[in-house]
Amino acid sequence: MNKIALLTLLIICISIVESSAQKPKVNNSTVFIDSNGKSISKNEFRDKLKTGQYVVGDYKVSGLSITEISLRGINEPEKEKLQSNSPKRQYHTQAPSFTTTDINGITYSTDQLKGKIIVVNFWFIKCPFCIEEMPELKRLAEKYKSDPTIVFISFAREKVDKLKKYVQEKGDFGFAIIPQTEQIATQYDINSYPTTIVINQKGEFVYDFEGYPGNISGLEKAIYKLK
């Protein structure tokens, strides 16, 4: 990675400067983690990035704050995510059941979908990272469009009319869109947007990612392991 790219990454990830009010950013509560999982200071994090031997490996977002950000050695593979972000979504425990209808009048339920892989995305229209992630999600959904063993469902916060208008203007992203899903978000303990979850053929949580970027590679691996 060249110096210009490093400095750009450094500015985005570390500098606490005035930027878009819509973008999550580092603050005084952010926890910085080195490549060994040890907590370090912001300055140490910055200095390691400057060496060119590290990149940002992952980060967690809550609202408009980056709560935790970690380093990964430039030659290290991305680590497989082995733990969920919420105790209510522990891996290999049953996901809460739902029966709901999308904006086109199609009904989806966990009972009906047993035996299938369910990819779930929680989002809302005014979430900038949700919207930014959609092209990547659409490419993934298109890849499995003709596969009857996998279903892509999104839970949005807005009402049907607003979502239909959004799709008409911007296009869909390959996921069924379910309106007004605050109750489901509560059941699934969703505290950060976007959040992507994979439920296996037994109805169990097997993948969980909050925020953006960094989701797609892990999501693809999780799906591949279930195929």
Side-chain angles (χ1 to χ4, degrees), residues 23-82:
K23 297 281 188 179
K25 57 186 179 181
V26 167
N27 57 39
N28 291 334
S29 299
T30 302
V31 176
F32 297 89
I33 307 292
D34 71 9
S35 58
N36 296 314
K38 178 185 174 183
S39 179
I40 58 177
S41 71
K42 183 180 71 174
N43 288 338
E44 289 174 311
F45 192 97
R46 179 191 290 117
D47 290 343
K48 283 180 179 287
L49 267 181
K50 283 181 178 178
T51 67
Q53 299 302 306
Y54 300 90
V55 294
V56 174
D58 194 8
Y59 65 83
K60 296 179 181 178
V61 173
S62 179
L64 294 178
S65 298
I66 296 176
T67 58
E68 183 178 296
I69 187 167
S70 62
L71 287 172
R72 172 169 60 86
I74 198 163
N75 295 317
E76 291 177 20
E78 290 185 52
K79 295 179 180 178
E80 183 177 359
K81 200 165 182 299
L82 300 176

Side-chain angles (χ1 to χ4, degrees), residues 155-223:
F155 293 122
R157 285 164 43 172
E158 292 82 5
K159 294 181 179 179
V160 174
D161 291 347
K162 194 167 185 179
L163 290 166
K164 282 186 173 182
K165 182 180 179 183
Y166 175 84
V167 170
Q168 187 176 25
E169 293 175 352
K170 306 291 186 181
D172 66 58
F173 63 111
F175 283 58
I177 300 174
I178 314 297
Q180 293 182 278
T181 55
E182 291 89 345
Q183 184 176 351
I184 295 174
T186 299
Q187 288 177 313
Y188 278 68
D189 196 32
I190 303 301
N191 297 303
S192 180
Y193 289 83
T195 290
T196 304
I197 291 165
V198 176
I199 300 170
N200 69 11
Q201 295 91 331
K202 297 178 183 178
E204 302 169 335
F205 292 116
V206 292
Y207 177 80
D208 176 33
F209 192 94
E210 294 180 351
Y212 173 82
N215 176 34
I216 297 299
S217 61
L219 177 56
E220 288 184 302
K221 289 175 187 176
I223 293 171

Side-chain angles (χ1 to χ4, degrees), residues 88-98 109-111 113-122 149-153 155 184 188 190 196-208 219 222-223 226-227:
K88 292 185 179 179
R89 302 194 299 267
Q90 288 298 316
Y91 292 168
H92 299 291
T93 63
Q94 285 289 311
S97 61
F98 60 79
S109 73
T110 43
D111 288 340
L113 297 173
K114 267 287 177 69
K116 297 181 185 289
I117 302 164
I118 310 172
V119 180
V120 177
N121 179 257
F122 287 86
T149 68
I150 183 167
V151 179
F152 293 85
I153 301 174
F155 293 122
I184 295 174
Y188 278 68
I190 303 301
T196 304
I197 291 165
V198 176
I199 300 170
N200 69 11
Q201 295 91 331
K202 297 178 183 178
E204 302 169 335
F205 292 116
V206 292
Y207 177 80
D208 176 33
L219 177 56
I223 293 171
L226 295 174
K227 298 297 292 176

